[in-house]
Amino acid sequence: MQTRKLRNGVEIPYIGYGTVQPLQRFDDEGMKEFHEVFIAALTTAIECGYRHIDTAQMYYNEADIGEVVGRGIVPRSELFLTTKLDNRIGTYEDTLRSFDESCRKLGTEYLDMFLIHWPNPIHHRDRWQQRNAECWRAFEKLYEEKRVRAIGVSNFRPRHFDALQKTANICPMVDQIRLYPGDASLDNPTLEWCRQNGLLLEGYSPLGLGGVLKEPKLMALSGKYAKSPAQLCLKWSVQKGYIPLPKSTTPERIRANIDIEDFELSAEDMAEMDRLPSVLEDDRDPDTATW
Ligand code: A2P
């Protein structure tokens, strides 16, 4: 799988498998199905070529991922594993402990990337700057000890970076935010901040949670390129220089979503996709979200 280079030279596969699952789809009885569906989908993903898996402590699937990784479909060293810090965690010590716990569940000695999941969680709203500073100090220690190959953040905006910079020794290497064609929040100073400071952008919900796929203009382009609307969205993301993290539990879609290397979108069609309607609510303000 092709890669991109992070600021520290570490190579990251150019597309990843997104693993957040809508838990509300499953009642208590259905949790067994939740795990089974996920394990089958992840197995398919690795078998058909995904080498980059994106999870989080709050996705409740690290142990499932550990189970699949432990089967050794490919060697651990060929996989790029990312997890993200639980919003409830707010201290240096707890960050280190949670990292160990993630490694234990994922069945790995080291992680490829660790991200602060949310810049201003409701649990620490009165001290978010201090919380991020403390957690980041733990991230830097883990990085210096080579327990993690890259460190970064998710859902950060320039004001959160500015606050973090006051105490950080290492600048985050990525920001993972929502990025899909037409997203109103693309008109966002965060993109510029990341460009200027050499952070790679990772895009979650690159298909607008599936909502963008029925847009007539996208369907017309799909005919022109003989590629599905989902493949066009992912190619758009890659050509923008983002790392898309599509989610799917459907085997044919999992396969098709990485079959995007044999075509190129023209500049006009990229611009047309930029102008697609924004199908999701405006992105949630990290400082007022209720989590
Ligand atoms: P499913 O899991 O049933 O395949 P996003 O990546 O933007 O978060 O979107 C995820 C949603 O898009 C899921 O509901 C997923 O459904 C759907 N999806 C993923 N890949 C495709 C595809 N190639 N075609 C249509 N829908 C897709």
Side-chain angles (χ1 to χ4, degrees), residues 205-210 213 228 230 245-250 253 256-257:
S205 306
L207 312 175
L209 295 174
L213 305 177
S228 72
L245 304 167
K247 300 190 282 288
S248 176
T249 50
T250 316
R253 291 172 174 174
N257 288 351

Side-chain angles (χ1 to χ4, degrees), residues 29-193:
E29 297 277 295
M31 282 313 284
K32 187 160 169 276
E33 187 201 338
F34 168 81
H35 294 291
E36 281 169 1
V37 167
F38 178 70
I39 284 173
L42 180 62
T43 304
T44 302
I46 297 176
E47 282 172 354
C48 73
Y50 289 77
R51 293 293 175 263
H52 172 180
I53 302 166
D54 182 85
T55 185
Q57 293 171 346
M58 292 188 297
Y59 296 172
Y60 304 104
N61 60 15
E62 289 179 321
D64 292 340
I65 294 172
E67 186 179 324
V68 178
V69 170
R71 290 181 192 160
I73 303 166
V74 296
R76 162 69 184 95
S77 58
E78 284 187 25
L79 294 173
F80 192 99
L81 296 181
T82 298
T83 197
K84 314 185 195 78
L85 185 72
D86 191 314
N87 286 356
R88 287 165 295 195
I89 290 173
T91 65
Y92 175 84
E93 290 300 336
D94 286 347
T95 302
L96 294 179
R97 254 193 298 276
S98 84
F99 180 87
D100 288 342
E101 184 66 10
S102 285
C103 286
R104 191 186 61 73
K105 287 183 180 159
L106 288 161
T108 180
E109 296 276 306
Y110 69 96
L111 276 176
D112 295 281
M113 192 149 74
F114 197 24
L115 307 180
I116 295 185
H117 203 148
W118 197 259
N120 189 351
I122 196 152
H123 321 77
H124 307 288
R125 196 138 289 168
D126 53 349
R127 57 178 288 276
W128 65 267
Q129 296 93 332
Q130 189 195 338
R131 178 257 182 183
N132 289 344
E134 270 195 48
C135 296
W136 192 251
R137 193 160 58 84
F139 275 49
E140 290 177 335
K141 176 181 163 65
L142 293 163
Y143 180 70
E144 273 150 17
E145 290 178 347
K146 301 199 181 335
R147 300 208 50 212
V148 61
R149 299 171 67 223
I151 50 178
V153 297
S154 185
N155 299 296
F156 269 48
R157 302 200 175 171
R159 60 184 175 277
H160 307 117
F161 285 116
D162 292 341
L164 190 67
Q165 300 281 60
K166 290 187 181 146
T167 53
N169 294 315
I170 302 172
C171 181
M173 291 152 200
V174 310
D175 192 9
Q176 184 182 125
I177 59 176
R178 194 180 77 187
L179 289 166
Y180 66 89
D183 192 341
S185 53
L186 283 176
D187 186 16
N188 185 333
T190 305
L191 303 192
E192 196 41 43
W193 199 97

